[in-house]
Amino acid sequence: MTKVALTALSAVSLATAAGVAFTPAMAAAEPVPPPDGPAAAPAPASPPTNEAAVTVCRRALDDLQVREVVCFWSGQNFAGDMSVYPRPSGTDSCGSIDPVKSAVNLTRETRLLYAFYGCDPGNFIAQVEPNEARSQFGPDTTAQSWR
């Protein structure tokens, strides 16, 4: 099984996924102060939506020129680093993954996630159906193996 690590979702990928043309000015723009006072604190970046995460994962699938991938994020709500597993094997083998908290499954098989390495059924935490995006597996739940 091959793993391709990608960096956290960038402003470019999120803007593109949302259908917005990204310009360098968007990255370097300074907040404009209101006419009557100092600049307000910038609003925190909102986490990507399930739709945006699926779009980013589909882009990875296209870039790798494969038919199926599973994308995992280190944080809930598709935050943090993204790992891409192209051409995952069938559900009969267990694979180890870096600790992850959200996933997009772009395969034809249901993917099962486990809290620890080894895919022990007693440590089952969640499943991700074909073409499903899961923004979290439970409150602060982390998966470390999958099939």
Side-chain angles (χ1 to χ4, degrees):
M1 189 174 325
T2 305
K3 171 185 167 185
V4 178
L6 301 176
T7 60
L9 295 175
S10 68
V12 175
S13 62
L14 287 177
T16 304
V20 176
F22 182 83
T23 64
M26 292 171 81
E30 292 292 322
V32 177
D36 298 318
S46 59
T49 63
N50 285 18
E51 184 178 323
V54 169
T55 301
V56 170
C57 192
R58 282 194 192 285
R59 191 167 296 117
L61 180 139
D62 292 341
D63 290 346
L64 294 169
Q65 298 180 350
V66 295
R67 299 177 84 189
E68 295 185 330
V69 296
V70 178
C71 300
F72 293 112
W73 281 263
S74 59
Q76 290 183 352
N77 300 313
F78 314 107
D81 293 332
M82 177 180 140
S83 299
V84 177
Y85 289 81
R87 295 184 295 270
S89 61
T91 55
D92 57 338
S93 62
C94 178
S96 295
I97 51 178
D98 291 334
V100 297
K101 296 184 177 188
S102 51
V104 172
N105 178 10
L106 296 181
T107 72
R108 294 171 286 172
E109 298 180 17
T110 299
R111 299 297 166 173
L112 306 176
L113 303 168
Y114 302 87
F116 301 102
Y117 298 110
C119 298
D120 181 341
N123 294 321
F124 172 79
I125 58 169
Q127 66 187 41
V128 185
E129 297 296 330
N131 299 306
E132 180 186 12
R134 291 281 307 254
S135 62
Q136 64 175 312
F137 309 133
D140 203 34
T141 302
T142 303
Q144 295 185 15
S145 62
W146 69 298
R147 64 171 79 228

